[in-house]
Amino acid sequence: MLRALKSSTYPYRDATNVVGFYPEDVAPPAELRTLSEDDVRGTVVLDPETEERVLASGVGGTIWVYRYYDLQPRALERYGEGLQRLVELIERSARRHGEPFSGVDVVAHSMGGLVVREGLRSMQQEQDGSARRLVHRVVTLGTPHRGIAFQRAPAWLLRMLPLLEKAERELSAFDPSKTAFTEWARCFDVKRVLTVVGTNHRTYGAAAASFANRLSTLIDEGTLATNRSDGLVKQASAQLPGAPRTFVHKCHGGPDSLVTSREAYEIAMRFFHGSHKVSLWLDQAEVSRGADLFGRSEFYLGVSIKPRFVDFELLHQSAEAENCYGPFRRADLSDDLHDLETELGKPLAEFGDRTTGWAGTDRLVWEGWIDSGLAADPSTASTRAPAQGLVFRLDIYVGERDTYGIGFSDNVVFRKQYYAQVFPGAPWELYVHTGERYLGTDASAGHDSVSALAERSAGAEIQEAVAVPGRPEERTFRVGGTGFGATFRLRVEEA
């Protein structure tokens, strides 16, 4: 929130104190000013004086904080009703100021995402289609959409774990055997929901919860080898069937976590305001080394994506994060992995975690959002020429482990960085660099210079991507080196 209030790129104004939340109905004040009596009566109400002052320049670009814990009774259904009321009050304020209203954008952390689900359901129940009209887009950060995994552990075991007894009543709302998460698709377009998934369980302060997640993996999969959580919420639980997702190597909560990280803020802002949607697929691959002769090898593929001029990633995959695609036993990575949307549609309590398959059909690796308005380095924009094109770095990793336990479990087959440079236009062009020599802000990084130096070969310092016949928004490019080669396909389309 503080980043948003300080941002010059996506400026917001604080409207937190315009609305109040109360456990019981409050009577309307004597002076309503421009508000109606319904705006100021109830448990979620506007303050007439603050509303008039703070919203003097309109509702657009304001931030409202929903303090649902102030309401009574403490139940998700009640919180959902309160959210519906808040959004309707915002819509009324926009109407009073003569502003168009295309819905609110919502960022929800942890249980807040469950509150959003209940709010959308409450809107839909009141009027068909109202959830899609009142809410534009949603970003959830580490929300346990499919429940909390370690609630499946035996009761006697949970009682032995410190601190969990105090949280028992709160955790009871996150039953992993339920499928309430399917309500999202019934009342809202899940393509307008971005789930941000945390992967760094090691830095989560509540050690008992992280330990319980590892124990749940033992019960669920028969192994203690993985954790696959942000410390509290399993990666498989923080996603929704059919919704886009991305991974951030942060824990659930704390000083450097999903809720405080720059990564979460920047990803959310690009989802809300980005100019282009980018999708990346793996078309072809070949692993040519690393397979054990005396064991049983399986391979994993991970890609991390980082935009230029910033110190954060739009996607993080790594062996440490335990979120790479796989396992693959075929050298061309063509194994028939479980369909992600199908697996996410099942209760979390079902045995096994089969959610490490592709992000979508055709071996989709990633879909994300970028903003062409951020091509210039903001720290030097006044003294330096704008950067040339949209540039983001691809970190490609292929790992191997021996499942028989004879060989090593953490071999690196391939790891290399590439720099994708996009020149928007009609047609748009893509150049893939192996280094940063021609990615500056001077003329050498301009379109004419780069296109003159580019070659079609995979080993070129600047590789010109190839247009896909019949698909004007897509380009293919090659990567490779010792032990691995692949063809990726990239689509860039207006958001």
Side-chain angles (χ1 to χ4, degrees), residues 116-146:
V116 175
R117 182 194 72 208
E118 292 303 311
L120 294 172
R121 181 158 63 176
S122 180
M123 298 173 199
Q124 178 68 11
Q125 287 175 344
E126 182 164 307
Q127 182 180 359
D128 184 41
S130 64
R132 291 175 173 84
R133 180 181 62 82
L134 292 171
V135 177
H136 176 232
R137 287 189 172 184
V138 179
V139 172
T140 64
L141 310 174
T143 289
H145 293 291
R146 302 172 67 221

mmCIF file of all heavy atoms in Angstrom, residues 116-146:
data_model
loop_
_atom_site.group_PDB
_atom_site.id
_atom_site.type_symbol
_atom_site.label_atom_id
_atom_site.label_comp_id
_atom_site.label_asym_id
_atom_site.label_seq_id
_atom_site.Cartn_x
_atom_site.Cartn_y
_atom_site.Cartn_z
ATOM 1 N N VAL A 116 -12.742 -12.367 -0.509
ATOM 2 C CA VAL A 116 -13.108 -11.903 -1.849
ATOM 3 C C VAL A 116 -14.042 -12.911 -2.514
ATOM 4 O O VAL A 116 -15.043 -12.532 -3.140
ATOM 5 C CB VAL A 116 -11.858 -11.664 -2.717
ATOM 6 C CG1 VAL A 116 -12.256 -11.306 -4.146
ATOM 7 C CG2 VAL A 116 -11.006 -10.557 -2.119
ATOM 8 N N ARG A 117 -13.724 -14.188 -2.376
ATOM 9 C CA ARG A 117 -14.597 -15.219 -2.965
ATOM 10 C C ARG A 117 -16.017 -15.103 -2.423
ATOM 11 O O ARG A 117 -16.995 -15.144 -3.177
ATOM 12 C CB ARG A 117 -14.037 -16.607 -2.641
ATOM 13 C CG ARG A 117 -14.839 -17.754 -3.242
ATOM 14 C CD ARG A 117 -14.435 -19.075 -2.618
ATOM 15 N NE ARG A 117 -14.905 -19.199 -1.246
ATOM 16 C CZ ARG A 117 -14.315 -19.923 -0.299
ATOM 17 N NH1 ARG A 117 -13.194 -20.572 -0.572
ATOM 18 N NH2 ARG A 117 -14.814 -19.996 0.922
ATOM 19 N N GLU A 118 -16.131 -14.932 -1.117
ATOM 20 C CA GLU A 118 -17.462 -14.807 -0.514
ATOM 21 C C GLU A 118 -18.146 -13.516 -0.945
ATOM 22 O O GLU A 118 -19.364 -13.474 -1.116
ATOM 23 C CB GLU A 118 -17.353 -14.875 1.007
ATOM 24 C CG GLU A 118 -16.930 -16.222 1.533
ATOM 25 C CD GLU A 118 -17.867 -17.338 1.086
ATOM 26 O OE1 GLU A 118 -19.099 -17.184 1.225
ATOM 27 O OE2 GLU A 118 -17.365 -18.363 0.582
ATOM 28 N N GLY A 119 -17.359 -12.446 -1.118
ATOM 29 C CA GLY A 119 -17.930 -11.193 -1.592
ATOM 30 C C GLY A 119 -18.481 -11.315 -2.997
ATOM 31 O O GLY A 119 -19.576 -10.825 -3.301
ATOM 32 N N LEU A 120 -17.740 -11.977 -3.874
ATOM 33 C CA LEU A 120 -18.210 -12.187 -5.253
ATOM 34 C C LEU A 120 -19.477 -13.039 -5.263
ATOM 35 O O LEU A 120 -20.417 -12.782 -6.019
ATOM 36 C CB LEU A 120 -17.111 -12.862 -6.074
ATOM 37 C CG LEU A 120 -15.837 -12.045 -6.311
ATOM 38 C CD1 LEU A 120 -14.766 -12.921 -6.959
ATOM 39 C CD2 LEU A 120 -16.107 -10.822 -7.171
ATOM 40 N N ARG A 121 -19.502 -14.055 -4.409
ATOM 41 C CA ARG A 121 -20.687 -14.910 -4.346
ATOM 42 C C ARG A 121 -21.891 -14.117 -3.836
ATOM 43 O O ARG A 121 -23.009 -14.285 -4.351
ATOM 44 C CB ARG A 121 -20.416 -16.103 -3.429
ATOM 45 C CG ARG A 121 -21.597 -17.053 -3.346
ATOM 46 C CD ARG A 121 -21.197 -18.438 -2.909
ATOM 47 N NE ARG A 121 -20.628 -18.477 -1.574
ATOM 48 C CZ ARG A 121 -20.279 -19.599 -0.957
ATOM 49 N NH1 ARG A 121 -20.419 -20.756 -1.582
ATOM 50 N NH2 ARG A 121 -19.772 -19.576 0.258
ATOM 51 N N SER A 122 -21.659 -13.235 -2.858
ATOM 52 C CA SER A 122 -22.752 -12.404 -2.343
ATOM 53 C C SER A 122 -23.287 -11.467 -3.417
ATOM 54 O O SER A 122 -24.503 -11.293 -3.561
ATOM 55 C CB SER A 122 -22.262 -11.601 -1.133
ATOM 56 O OG SER A 122 -23.283 -10.796 -0.605
ATOM 57 N N MET A 123 -22.396 -10.876 -4.205
ATOM 58 C CA MET A 123 -22.826 -10.006 -5.301
ATOM 59 C C MET A 123 -23.639 -10.770 -6.325
ATOM 60 O O MET A 123 -24.679 -10.312 -6.797
ATOM 61 C CB MET A 123 -21.589 -9.376 -5.972
ATOM 62 C CG MET A 123 -20.752 -8.491 -5.095
ATOM 63 S SD MET A 123 -19.216 -7.989 -5.955
ATOM 64 C CE MET A 123 -18.200 -7.466 -4.557
ATOM 65 N N GLN A 124 -23.150 -11.963 -6.683
ATOM 66 C CA GLN A 124 -23.816 -12.768 -7.691
ATOM 67 C C GLN A 124 -25.203 -13.205 -7.230
ATOM 68 O O GLN A 124 -26.153 -13.246 -8.030
ATOM 69 C CB GLN A 124 -22.959 -13.983 -8.032
ATOM 70 C CG GLN A 124 -23.565 -14.939 -9.043
ATOM 71 C CD GLN A 124 -23.677 -14.349 -10.439
ATOM 72 O OE1 GLN A 124 -23.111 -13.293 -10.710
ATOM 73 N NE2 GLN A 124 -24.424 -15.014 -11.308
ATOM 74 N N GLN A 125 -25.320 -13.546 -5.950
ATOM 75 C CA GLN A 125 -26.610 -13.986 -5.424
ATOM 76 C C GLN A 125 -27.642 -12.867 -5.463
ATOM 77 O O GLN A 125 -28.833 -13.127 -5.666
ATOM 78 C CB GLN A 125 -26.439 -14.507 -3.990
ATOM 79 C CG GLN A 125 -25.750 -15.864 -3.918
ATOM 80 C CD GLN A 125 -25.492 -16.313 -2.496
ATOM 81 O OE1 GLN A 125 -25.558 -15.509 -1.558
ATOM 82 N NE2 GLN A 125 -25.198 -17.590 -2.322
ATOM 83 N N GLU A 126 -27.179 -11.637 -5.264
ATOM 84 C CA GLU A 126 -28.110 -10.515 -5.286
ATOM 85 C C GLU A 126 -28.565 -10.187 -6.703
ATOM 86 O O GLU A 126 -29.731 -9.876 -6.944
ATOM 87 C CB GLU A 126 -27.468 -9.278 -4.657
ATOM 88 C CG GLU A 126 -28.408 -8.083 -4.606
ATOM 89 C CD GLU A 126 -27.913 -7.006 -3.666
ATOM 90 O OE1 GLU A 126 -27.632 -7.311 -2.489
ATOM 91 O OE2 GLU A 126 -27.792 -5.853 -4.113
ATOM 92 N N GLN A 127 -27.627 -10.252 -7.661
ATOM 93 C CA GLN A 127 -27.985 -9.965 -9.051
ATOM 94 C C GLN A 127 -26.999 -10.664 -9.971
ATOM 95 O O GLN A 127 -25.784 -10.496 -9.847
ATOM 96 C CB GLN A 127 -27.985 -8.467 -9.328
ATOM 97 C CG GLN A 127 -28.399 -8.108 -10.748
ATOM 98 C CD GLN A 127 -28.380 -6.619 -10.996
ATOM 99 O OE1 GLN A 127 -28.072 -5.823 -10.115
ATOM 100 N NE2 GLN A 127 -28.711 -6.232 -12.210
ATOM 101 N N ASP A 128 -27.512 -11.434 -10.900
ATOM 102 C CA ASP A 128 -26.669 -12.174 -11.832
ATOM 103 C C ASP A 128 -25.793 -11.209 -12.639
ATOM 104 O O ASP A 128 -26.292 -10.242 -13.216
ATOM 105 C CB ASP A 128 -27.544 -12.997 -12.773
ATOM 106 C CG ASP A 128 -26.724 -13.862 -13.699
ATOM 107 O OD1 ASP A 128 -25.727 -14.439 -13.247
ATOM 108 O OD2 ASP A 128 -27.066 -13.924 -14.904
ATOM 109 N N GLY A 129 -24.485 -11.472 -12.664
ATOM 110 C CA GLY A 129 -23.552 -10.646 -13.423
ATOM 111 C C GLY A 129 -22.987 -9.469 -12.658
ATOM 112 O O GLY A 129 -22.082 -8.785 -13.158
ATOM 113 N N SER A 130 -23.484 -9.223 -11.440
ATOM 114 C CA SER A 130 -23.018 -8.035 -10.720
ATOM 115 C C SER A 130 -21.579 -8.166 -10.255
ATOM 116 O O SER A 130 -20.853 -7.176 -10.166
ATOM 117 C CB SER A 130 -23.933 -7.736 -9.528
ATOM 118 O OG SER A 130 -23.880 -8.792 -8.576
ATOM 119 N N ALA A 131 -21.135 -9.387 -9.956
ATOM 120 C CA ALA A 131 -19.738 -9.565 -9.534
ATOM 121 C C ALA A 131 -18.784 -9.162 -10.647
ATOM 122 O O ALA A 131 -17.773 -8.487 -10.407
ATOM 123 C CB ALA A 131 -19.493 -11.015 -9.124
ATOM 124 N N ARG A 132 -19.086 -9.549 -11.880
ATOM 125 C CA ARG A 132 -18.238 -9.193 -13.015
ATOM 126 C C ARG A 132 -18.278 -7.685 -13.289
ATOM 127 O O ARG A 132 -17.310 -7.125 -13.810
ATOM 128 C CB ARG A 132 -18.691 -9.961 -14.256
ATOM 129 C CG ARG A 132 -18.436 -11.454 -14.191
ATOM 130 C CD ARG A 132 -19.017 -12.168 -15.412
ATOM 131 N NE ARG A 132 -18.647 -13.571 -15.466
ATOM 132 C CZ ARG A 132 -19.283 -14.535 -14.832
ATOM 133 N NH1 ARG A 132 -20.333 -14.238 -14.077
ATOM 134 N NH2 ARG A 132 -18.885 -15.793 -14.941
ATOM 135 N N ARG A 133 -19.385 -7.047 -12.950
ATOM 136 C CA ARG A 133 -19.513 -5.605 -13.191
ATOM 137 C C ARG A 133 -18.845 -4.786 -12.088
ATOM 138 O O ARG A 133 -18.190 -3.773 -12.371
ATOM 139 C CB ARG A 133 -20.996 -5.234 -13.274
ATOM 140 C CG ARG A 133 -21.255 -3.750 -13.535
ATOM 141 C CD ARG A 133 -22.730 -3.441 -13.586
ATOM 142 N NE ARG A 133 -23.399 -3.721 -12.329
ATOM 143 C CZ ARG A 133 -23.409 -2.872 -11.286
ATOM 144 N NH1 ARG A 133 -22.746 -1.735 -11.354
ATOM 145 N NH2 ARG A 133 -24.057 -3.185 -10.188
ATOM 146 N N LEU A 134 -18.956 -5.218 -10.857
ATOM 147 C CA LEU A 134 -18.448 -4.432 -9.728
ATOM 148 C C LEU A 134 -16.954 -4.627 -9.488
ATOM 149 O O LEU A 134 -16.306 -3.764 -8.892
ATOM 150 C CB LEU A 134 -19.216 -4.792 -8.455
ATOM 151 C CG LEU A 134 -20.691 -4.379 -8.415
ATOM 152 C CD1 LEU A 134 -21.385 -4.982 -7.206
ATOM 153 C CD2 LEU A 134 -20.818 -2.855 -8.411
ATOM 154 N N VAL A 135 -16.406 -5.768 -9.915
ATOM 155 C CA VAL A 135 -14.986 -6.072 -9.689
ATOM 156 C C VAL A 135 -14.306 -6.233 -11.040
ATOM 157 O O VAL A 135 -14.773 -7.004 -11.890
ATOM 158 C CB VAL A 135 -14.816 -7.336 -8.836
ATOM 159 C CG1 VAL A 135 -13.334 -7.673 -8.681
ATOM 160 C CG2 VAL A 135 -15.469 -7.145 -7.468
ATOM 161 N N HIS A 136 -13.209 -5.504 -11.227
ATOM 162 C CA HIS A 136 -12.473 -5.562 -12.491
ATOM 163 C C HIS A 136 -11.494 -6.725 -12.495
ATOM 164 O O HIS A 136 -11.614 -7.659 -13.283
ATOM 165 C CB HIS A 136 -11.740 -4.230 -12.712
ATOM 166 C CG HIS A 136 -10.882 -4.210 -13.924
ATOM 167 N ND1 HIS A 136 -9.549 -3.828 -13.881
ATOM 168 C CD2 HIS A 136 -11.126 -4.545 -15.209
ATOM 169 C CE1 HIS A 136 -9.041 -3.914 -15.098
ATOM 170 N NE2 HIS A 136 -9.971 -4.350 -15.915
ATOM 171 N N ARG A 137 -10.523 -6.688 -11.588
ATOM 172 C CA ARG A 137 -9.521 -7.757 -11.504
ATOM 173 C C ARG A 137 -9.154 -8.009 -10.049
ATOM 174 O O ARG A 137 -9.321 -7.137 -9.193
ATOM 175 C CB ARG A 137 -8.271 -7.416 -12.314
ATOM 176 C CG ARG A 137 -8.478 -7.508 -13.822
ATOM 177 C CD ARG A 137 -7.185 -7.374 -14.590
ATOM 178 N NE ARG A 137 -7.399 -7.661 -16.015
ATOM 179 C CZ ARG A 137 -6.438 -7.697 -16.912
ATOM 180 N NH1 ARG A 137 -5.175 -7.460 -16.555
ATOM 181 N NH2 ARG A 137 -6.710 -7.970 -18.177
ATOM 182 N N VAL A 138 -8.628 -9.200 -9.788
ATOM 183 C CA VAL A 138 -8.254 -9.611 -8.429
ATOM 184 C C VAL A 138 -6.866 -10.227 -8.450
ATOM 185 O O VAL A 138 -6.551 -11.033 -9.332
ATOM 186 C CB VAL A 138 -9.256 -10.633 -7.858
ATOM 187 C CG1 VAL A 138 -8.844 -11.059 -6.452
ATOM 188 C CG2 VAL A 138 -10.680 -10.072 -7.861
ATOM 189 N N VAL A 139 -6.035 -9.856 -7.478
ATOM 190 C CA VAL A 139 -4.744 -10.512 -7.247
ATOM 191 C C VAL A 139 -4.780 -11.108 -5.853
ATOM 192 O O VAL A 139 -5.054 -10.397 -4.878
ATOM 193 C CB VAL A 139 -3.565 -9.524 -7.370
ATOM 194 C CG1 VAL A 139 -2.262 -10.187 -6.936
ATOM 195 C CG2 VAL A 139 -3.443 -9.000 -8.796
ATOM 196 N N THR A 140 -4.537 -12.410 -5.740
ATOM 197 C CA THR A 140 -4.459 -13.035 -4.418
ATOM 198 C C THR A 140 -3.007 -13.395 -4.123
ATOM 199 O O THR A 140 -2.288 -13.891 -4.989
ATOM 200 C CB THR A 140 -5.339 -14.294 -4.327
ATOM 201 O OG1 THR A 140 -4.867 -15.298 -5.234
ATOM 202 C CG2 THR A 140 -6.795 -13.956 -4.663
ATOM 203 N N LEU A 141 -2.593 -13.150 -2.906
ATOM 204 C CA LEU A 141 -1.218 -13.398 -2.462
ATOM 205 C C LEU A 141 -1.237 -14.491 -1.394
ATOM 206 O O LEU A 141 -1.682 -14.267 -0.270
ATOM 207 C CB LEU A 141 -0.598 -12.128 -1.875
ATOM 208 C CG LEU A 141 -0.694 -10.843 -2.708
ATOM 209 C CD1 LEU A 141 -0.168 -9.652 -1.897
ATOM 210 C CD2 LEU A 141 0.079 -10.987 -4.006
ATOM 211 N N GLY A 142 -0.790 -15.672 -1.752
ATOM 212 C CA GLY A 142 -0.709 -16.749 -0.775
ATOM 213 C C GLY A 142 -2.045 -17.113 -0.154
ATOM 214 O O GLY A 142 -2.099 -17.507 1.016
ATOM 215 N N THR A 143 -3.123 -17.034 -0.916
ATOM 216 C CA THR A 143 -4.439 -17.394 -0.394
ATOM 217 C C THR A 143 -4.615 -18.916 -0.413
ATOM 218 O O THR A 143 -4.378 -19.547 -1.445
ATOM 219 C CB THR A 143 -5.549 -16.734 -1.230
ATOM 220 O OG1 THR A 143 -5.552 -15.331 -0.983
ATOM 221 C CG2 THR A 143 -6.915 -17.299 -0.881
ATOM 222 N N PRO A 144 -5.047 -19.506 0.690
ATOM 223 C CA PRO A 144 -5.274 -20.966 0.714
ATOM 224 C C PRO A 144 -6.611 -21.318 0.061
ATOM 225 O O PRO A 144 -7.553 -21.779 0.717
ATOM 226 C CB PRO A 144 -5.260 -21.295 2.208
ATOM 227 C CG PRO A 144 -5.765 -20.046 2.856
ATOM 228 C CD PRO A 144 -5.240 -18.900 2.018
ATOM 229 N N HIS A 145 -6.711 -21.099 -1.248
ATOM 230 C CA HIS A 145 -7.962 -21.338 -1.964
ATOM 231 C C HIS A 145 -8.482 -22.754 -1.742
ATOM 232 O O HIS A 145 -9.686 -22.971 -1.603
ATOM 233 C CB HIS A 145 -7.756 -21.116 -3.467
ATOM 234 C CG HIS A 145 -7.466 -19.700 -3.840
ATOM 235 N ND1 HIS A 145 -8.399 -18.697 -3.756
ATOM 236 C CD2 HIS A 145 -6.331 -19.103 -4.293
ATOM 237 C CE1 HIS A 145 -7.871 -17.555 -4.159
ATOM 238 N NE2 HIS A 145 -6.622 -17.774 -4.483
ATOM 239 N N ARG A 146 -7.564 -23.716 -1.720
ATOM 240 C CA ARG A 146 -7.958 -25.123 -1.620
ATOM 241 C C ARG A 146 -7.761 -25.682 -0.214
ATOM 242 O O ARG A 146 -7.851 -26.883 -0.008
ATOM 243 C CB ARG A 146 -7.180 -25.951 -2.646
ATOM 244 C CG ARG A 146 -7.387 -25.494 -4.081
ATOM 245 C CD ARG A 146 -6.469 -26.201 -5.053
ATOM 246 N NE ARG A 146 -6.767 -27.614 -5.174
ATOM 247 C CZ ARG A 146 -5.840 -28.558 -5.252
ATOM 248 N NH1 ARG A 146 -4.551 -28.244 -5.207
ATOM 249 N NH2 ARG A 146 -6.177 -29.829 -5.376
#
